[in-house]
């Protein structure tokens, strides 16, 4: 048998830009891993929203260090937005003074009224101005707060879409995921989790520009317990290791 090969022209398919996803990035474990997972499917836009809380300088430092070390592709430059809430929260509020509830206190003690309303509202306006229709937040399973429910996210997305005349979909991909599983996902992706910040009273290194976890607040407890549950070594730099040694 003789097989005759014929020449044929291969036409390149038109290139369609990858859809975009805006990620609310706080510098913490959950939003950092979420950013990496979104970047595997979307052109990601990280957004940091400052509201005037005591630990935000440390958060911004963690965000910058993580983004510089993550090696993520298809990521747009970080956008920093601001909504000053210091005229709403009292000057004596623990989130303003930097003296949060202690290590063994329940999650309910660190509730900040309206936090997700403010974050999603400002980020939603930005997304509409850039034509980004997907906005994600790193809300975890068992979050006890009223602005962390599916009903709230659906209502917020509907209000933003109506008010901005632009479709905005708000998603919480980790709403049925625990922090230990987030750590496992981040470890599997070889992300620099030690560079993330989960602390409400970070301690500045003397002579250095970076911050340490206090090791005394309930966010440090939540972080350390999740590493233990995940079976992953906790390389977090805790200033006080009374509970984390």
């Amino acid at each position: 048998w003789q097989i005759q090969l014929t020449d044929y022209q291969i036409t390149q398919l038109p290139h369609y830009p990858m859809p975009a996803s805006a990620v609310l990035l706080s510098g913490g474990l959950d939003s950092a891993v979420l950013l990496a997972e979104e970047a595997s499917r979307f052109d990601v836009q990280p957004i940091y929203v400052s509201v005037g809380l005591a630990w935000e300088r440390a958060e911004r430092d963690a965000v910058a260090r993580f983004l510089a070390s993550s090696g993520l592709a298809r990521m747009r430059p970080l956008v920093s937005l601001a909504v000053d809430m210091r005229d709403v929260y009292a000057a004596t509020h623990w989130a303003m003074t930097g003296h949060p509830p202690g290590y063994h206190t329940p999650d309910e003690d660190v509730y900040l009224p309206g936090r997700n309303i403010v974050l999603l509202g400002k980020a939603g306006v930005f997304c509409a101005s850039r034509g980004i229709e997907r906005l994600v937040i790193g809300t975890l399973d068992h979050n006890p707060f009223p602005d962390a429910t599916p009903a709230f996210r659906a209502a917020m997305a509907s209000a933003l879409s109506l008010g901005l005349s632009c479709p905005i979909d708000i998603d919480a991909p980790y709403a049925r995921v625990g922090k230990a599983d987030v750590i496992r996902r981040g470890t599997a992706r070889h992300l620099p989790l030690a560079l993330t910040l989960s602390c409400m009273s970070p301690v500045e290194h003397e002579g250095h520009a970076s911050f340490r976890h206090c090791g005394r607040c309930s966010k440090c407890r939540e972080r350390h317990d999740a590493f233990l549950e995940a079976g992953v070594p906790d390389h977090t730099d805790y200033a006080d290791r009374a509970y984390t040694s």
Side-chain angles (χ1 to χ4, degrees), residues 7-214:
D7 294 333
Y8 59 95
Q9 183 178 8
I10 299 177
T11 303
Q12 185 175 4
L13 294 175
H15 172 71
Y16 295 103
M18 180 170 286
S21 174
V23 181
L24 279 170
L25 187 64
S26 68
L29 279 168
D30 314 321
S31 63
V33 178
L34 177 59
L35 179 74
E37 294 200 335
E38 289 288 297
S40 68
R41 303 166 51 213
F42 301 97
D43 177 18
V44 293
Q45 172 62 72
I47 299 176
Y48 179 82
V49 183
S50 171
V51 300
L53 304 180
W55 55 81
E56 287 181 354
R57 190 160 65 94
E59 278 189 341
R60 290 192 293 270
D61 174 71
V63 166
R65 294 169 66 208
F66 178 82
L67 292 179
S69 303
S70 63
L72 298 179
R74 291 195 296 268
M75 186 173 63
R76 301 180 184 184
L78 174 72
V79 166
S80 294
L81 307 175
V83 180
D84 194 345
M85 293 292 286
R86 289 173 295 182
D87 53 359
V88 176
Y89 300 141
T92 55
H93 192 285
W94 59 265
M96 299 289 106
T97 64
H99 300 293
Y103 194 86
H104 297 292
T105 54
D107 290 344
E108 288 79 2
D109 286 0
V110 296
Y111 175 51
L112 288 172
R115 179 159 174 76
N116 285 345
I117 295 173
V118 172
L119 299 182
L120 292 170
K122 188 65 178 278
V125 175
F126 172 84
C127 287
S129 72
R130 299 301 191 275
I132 300 174
E133 298 181 3
R134 176 177 171 81
L135 174 58
V136 299
I137 187 170
T139 299
L140 294 180
D141 194 12
H142 304 305
N143 188 309
F145 305 138
D147 58 355
T149 64
F152 163 76
R153 290 190 294 273
M156 192 73 180
S158 177
L160 287 170
S161 298
L162 287 171
L164 296 168
S165 189
C166 174
I168 300 289
D169 177 48
I170 296 175
D171 194 10
Y174 294 166
R176 296 182 179 273
V177 176
K179 190 178 287 288
D181 192 41
V182 170
I183 289 173
R184 294 187 191 102
R185 294 184 184 198
T187 302
R189 289 182 176 273
H190 306 289
L191 296 175
L193 299 183
L195 299 182
T196 62
L197 181 82
S198 311
C199 180
M200 296 176 291
S201 186
V203 179
E204 189 167 6
H205 270 297
E206 291 186 14
H208 298 273
S210 58
F211 293 82
R212 308 172 72 188
H213 284 69
C214 72

